[in-house]
Amino acid sequence: FMGGYEKPARAFKHLQLYLGTEKFDQIMKSFFAEWKFKHPKPTDFQNHFEQRVDENLDWFFNDLISSNRQIDYKVAGYNKNNGELTIKNKGDINAPSPVKIKSEENTDERWLEGFDHKKTLETLSDAQEISLDPRHITLDMYRKNNSWKADRTLKKFEPIQLKFLSRLENPDRSMLFVN
């Protein structure tokens, strides 16, 4: 799905946005300062990061970077009566992912910590649109199940886009190619 050079770059961008750019840059600078003119191993890099954040980063170092496992979250359901949002992890990695919930008056955007199987969140009871990873930060394998809209008949699908003689995919649209 992507080359060997693109995956690490996008994975580090995911980690940077999850931790915050300022904190990420501070950790990277301290790593370079501590290890300049030395020969660090990957475990030295991992230990340096984990000592400076109060979180377990196994999802990043052991799963995302060092394996071919995949991230795949899905909006499994939304209950308008009580505002409960159910998200399912269909992938192999319990990585954090941003979630955006829009109503007519409010927008709630936050990071959802990684989890196994299903997770239910209390959200806005008047949500009009729900998006997992709306800015395409993570390496989610199948983005077509990452959204829900209240005003659609098929709430989990994007609008259809008709393309003539084209093969470029738009992850925000269900594509129909005509030759």
Side-chain angles (χ1 to χ4, degrees):
F1 123 91
M2 68 177 52
Y5 293 106
E6 185 178 359
K7 182 180 178 184
R10 292 194 51 201
F12 272 98
K13 189 67 169 176
H14 180 176
L15 181 64
Q16 176 188 13
L17 294 173
Y18 172 66
L19 295 176
T21 301
E22 187 175 322
K23 188 173 196 174
F24 181 84
D25 288 348
Q26 181 182 19
I27 295 169
M28 291 297 281
K29 286 176 184 176
S30 68
F31 177 78
F32 289 124
E34 182 179 329
W35 286 94
K36 68 181 171 186
F37 307 119
K38 298 178 185 174
H39 301 285
K41 294 180 172 56
T43 53
D44 298 323
F45 186 69
Q46 181 176 354
N47 291 337
H48 188 86
F49 255 87
E50 288 180 341
Q51 289 169 0
R52 284 153 181 79
V53 295
D54 299 327
E55 301 175 41
N56 184 350
L57 297 177
D58 284 347
W59 64 269
F60 179 78
F61 289 104
N62 297 340
D63 294 334
L64 194 56
I65 292 290
S66 302
S67 76
N68 61 356
R69 296 181 188 146
Q70 299 170 347
I71 299 172
D72 188 16
Y73 287 110
K74 167 187 175 177
V75 175
Y78 174 71
N79 186 336
K80 271 184 117 34
N81 297 330
N82 59 10
E84 282 188 353
L85 169 63
T86 305
I87 298 172
K88 185 175 181 181
N89 184 353
K90 296 179 68 179
D92 310 315
I93 301 175
N94 300 332
S97 180
V99 60
K100 184 176 182 179
I101 301 144
K102 288 173 63 175
S103 69
E104 289 183 19
E105 298 175 11
N106 298 318
T107 299
D108 179 21
E109 189 165 356
R110 58 183 133 152
W111 280 90
L112 178 66
E113 295 300 322
F115 60 90
D116 273 329
H117 308 297
K118 285 186 180 180
K119 185 170 191 166
T120 302
L121 303 170
E122 298 292 325
T123 64
L124 306 168
S125 60
D126 60 340
Q128 297 297 311
E129 185 177 340
I130 298 167
S131 299
L132 293 173
D133 192 19
R135 293 179 288 152
H136 302 243
I137 294 166
T138 70
L139 296 171
D140 196 296
M141 190 64 188
Y142 186 70
R143 295 191 181 280
K144 296 198 180 292
N145 60 7
N146 287 6
S147 64
W148 177 91
K149 283 194 177 183
D151 60 350
R152 286 195 203 142
T153 306
L154 300 172
K155 299 187 184 326
K156 293 183 182 177
F157 294 98
E158 303 83 15
I160 292 177
Q161 182 178 16
L162 188 60
K163 286 280 200 175
F164 293 99
L165 302 172
S166 175
R167 293 281 186 243
L168 296 177
E169 247 188 271
N170 181 347
D172 297 325
R173 302 275 186 219
S174 294
M175 305 296 286
L176 178 61
F177 295 104
V178 178
N179 287 329

